[in-house]
Amino acid sequence: MEGNKAVAYKGPGKVEVIDIDYPSFELKDGPGINPANVGRKVPHGAILKTVATNICGSDQHMVRGRTTAPPDLVLGHEITGEVVEVGQDVEFIKVGDVCSVPFNIACGRCRNCKERKTGICLNVNPDRPGSAYGYVDMGGWVGGQANYVLVPYADWNLLKFPDKDRAMEKILDLAMLSDIFPTGFHGAVSAGVGVGSTVYIAGAGPVGLAAATSAQLLGAAVVIVGDLNEGRLAQARSFGCETVDLTKGGPAEQIEQLLGVPEVDCGVDAVGFEAKGHGAGAQEAPATVLNSLMDITAAGGALGIPGLYVTGDPGGIDEAAKKGSLSLSLGTGWAKSLAFTTGQCPVMKYNRQLMMVILHDKVNIAKNVNAKPILLDDAPKGYAEFDAGAATKYVLNPNGYLS
């Protein structure tokens, strides 16, 4: 049987590359596996040899100890791979296919899946709607920062690239289809971005940069990205975004200097529950982004909120924050008739269209997020550098597919 190495969470601030079992078409017991899923048969699944698997800011929340993730949980939900085995019930996906794996695990059979709400599938997580690979409280599907990974409901979940050779030429771009590109695009779409829009994106991490790229693709007139990290702001400027340095204070005044008014048509939260306040030396203040977006988004506008919020945060700044309860100025949002869209991005709603945009040279998402391939054994270093604020999207290369 093939060997299989994987990146595992070992405790706050620590990840290690460990040996794990080669996948089988049955869920086994292990760290983070929901007991109700143990023994679940997966004849509809496929085993992929990983081509690329990315480090995500959502992984960092777990690694920082800011969730209830157990030690030895195998990480990784941004997966691209080559099919090496298929279950007996797989009809259309074939061995040798190179595919993008949506980070949402979905059955394709339930009411929500049939309505394209694949981020809240009803059948893959016994605890709640919605699931993902290698993530706490998501049912226990083993993560993909590994040599091999099992993908259930393969005919439904996998996005096959139409030409293997052409795909490998653009593989770093296509590797962004599993999560951050559709997630950023979903944030921009749900914020109402269109031709001529003015857009403010809170956060210049990879999802924020993907949202900025998406806003440009959707025809925005001005895309403004705000962050406390100058390196990440420079990355946003590298592909034509305006920027707001939040170490100098809140965004309204700097937006007014750019637009002549202190507001935008559309707002996107690409930060989530570990948000900090504004100004030099800003400390954690998790409601800051949402409240500032309500302040600066024009009446009748919308907020796209792809940034992650959780119901359990052991490191929260107070008892309310530990339960996901934040002090939001909902009255501001109500008075301005603002619309809000939260939750997992339904990746399958967008990934095929975005694949075509990449294959036909309409966007270079890997360049915009500064994607950098690294070896699987270098994952702990990649996690540390990303956590320290590197303006880089780290792409793990477990099997040598990437140059």
Side-chain angles (χ1 to χ4, degrees):
M1 189 64 69
E2 296 275 357
N4 196 17
K5 291 185 179 292
V7 181
Y9 169 67
K10 303 297 286 188
K14 188 175 182 182
V15 299
E16 287 183 5
V17 179
I18 64 171
D19 292 307
I20 64 170
D21 291 338
Y22 182 84
S24 69
F25 293 102
E26 177 182 330
L27 288 187
K28 309 292 188 181
D29 197 8
I33 306 298
N34 190 301
N37 261 348
V38 174
R40 182 170 180 166
K41 307 295 185 184
V42 192
H44 43 69
I47 295 172
L48 273 62
K49 187 175 184 179
T50 306
V51 172
T53 177
N54 314 334
I55 297 174
C56 180
S58 298
D59 298 321
Q60 288 285 19
H61 295 305
M62 288 188 290
V63 172
R64 293 184 189 121
R66 297 298 298 266
T67 72
T68 55
D72 289 323
L73 178 77
V74 174
L75 301 167
H77 57 270
E78 298 191 10
I79 307 162
T80 308
E82 181 175 8
V83 177
V84 293
E85 292 187 51
V86 295
Q88 62 184 14
D89 292 347
V90 176
E91 186 174 359
F92 304 112
I93 290 293
K94 306 298 182 185
V95 170
D97 289 345
V98 177
C99 305
S100 179
V101 185
F103 80 89
N104 333 94
I105 301 171
C107 73
R109 295 153 164 81
C110 71
R111 172 182 175 178
N112 285 348
C113 283
K114 290 177 180 179
E115 295 177 356
R116 302 181 78 190
K117 301 173 184 175
T118 53
I120 43 174
C121 173
L122 300 174
N123 290 330
V124 287
N125 183 354
D127 283 341
R128 66 182 73 173
S131 187
Y133 304 88
Y135 214 87
V136 61
D137 296 332
M138 287 290 183
W141 300 89
V142 178
Q145 288 177 10
N147 295 110
Y148 297 90
V149 64
L150 172 69
V151 174
Y153 304 102
D155 282 328
W156 169 252
N157 282 304
L158 291 175
L159 175 68
K160 175 186 171 181
F161 300 143
D163 182 276
K164 184 175 180 179
D165 291 337
R166 188 177 179 194
M168 292 308 298
E169 291 174 0
K170 295 180 177 292
I171 196 64
L172 274 185
D173 294 283
L174 294 170
M176 304 304 140
L177 290 174
S178 57
D179 183 355
I180 66 162
F181 196 9
T183 293
F185 193 81
H186 179 60
V189 168
S190 56
V193 178
V195 174
S197 298
T198 57
V199 186
Y200 177 73
I201 296 165
V207 170
L209 298 174
T213 301
S214 301
Q216 292 176 339
L217 195 60
L218 290 164
V222 184
V223 179
I224 306 168
V225 181
D227 205 290
L228 297 157
N229 181 320
E230 173 51 34
R232 291 182 171 182
L233 291 176
Q235 185 62 31
R237 289 192 294 271
S238 75
F239 59 95
C241 299
E242 301 287 351
T243 57
V244 164
D245 182 353
L246 295 172
T247 66
K248 299 178 179 177
E253 182 177 338
Q254 296 178 66
I255 288 172
E256 185 171 19
Q257 292 172 358
L258 291 167
L259 301 179
V261 291
E263 64 181 19
V264 291
D265 300 322
C266 314
V268 179
D269 173 5
V271 179
F273 73 101
E274 288 192 68
K276 294 182 179 180
H278 302 142
Q283 300 298 307
E284 187 169 323
T288 300
V289 169
L290 291 172
N291 285 330
S292 65
L293 283 173
M294 284 189 279
D295 285 337
I296 64 173
T297 301
L303 307 185
I305 309 173
L308 175 67
Y309 289 87
V310 296
T311 56
D313 174 11
I317 61 172
D318 54 36
E319 290 305 311
K322 289 178 182 179
K323 300 175 182 178
S325 297
L326 307 181
S327 297
L328 298 180
S329 180
L330 190 58
T332 300
W334 190 94
K336 297 176 73 174
S337 295
L338 299 176
F340 300 75
T341 301
T342 66
Q344 287 189 30
C345 162
V347 170
M348 293 173 68
K349 188 174 181 178
Y350 308 109
N351 63 349
R352 184 188 179 279
Q353 299 95 310
L354 295 176
M355 175 186 74
M356 297 302 287
V357 167
I358 290 169
L359 291 176
H360 291 278
D361 300 315
K362 301 302 181 186
V363 72
N364 191 339
I365 183 65
K367 180 180 178 182
N368 289 4
V369 301
N370 194 25
K372 177 182 178 181
I374 61 174
L375 299 175
L376 188 71
D377 286 341
D378 290 333
K381 181 181 178 183
Y383 268 95
E385 291 178 358
F386 188 37
D387 190 50
T392 305
K393 178 67 173 177
Y394 290 97
V395 179
L396 302 180
N397 181 23
N399 293 304
Y401 284 90
L402 309 180
S403 59

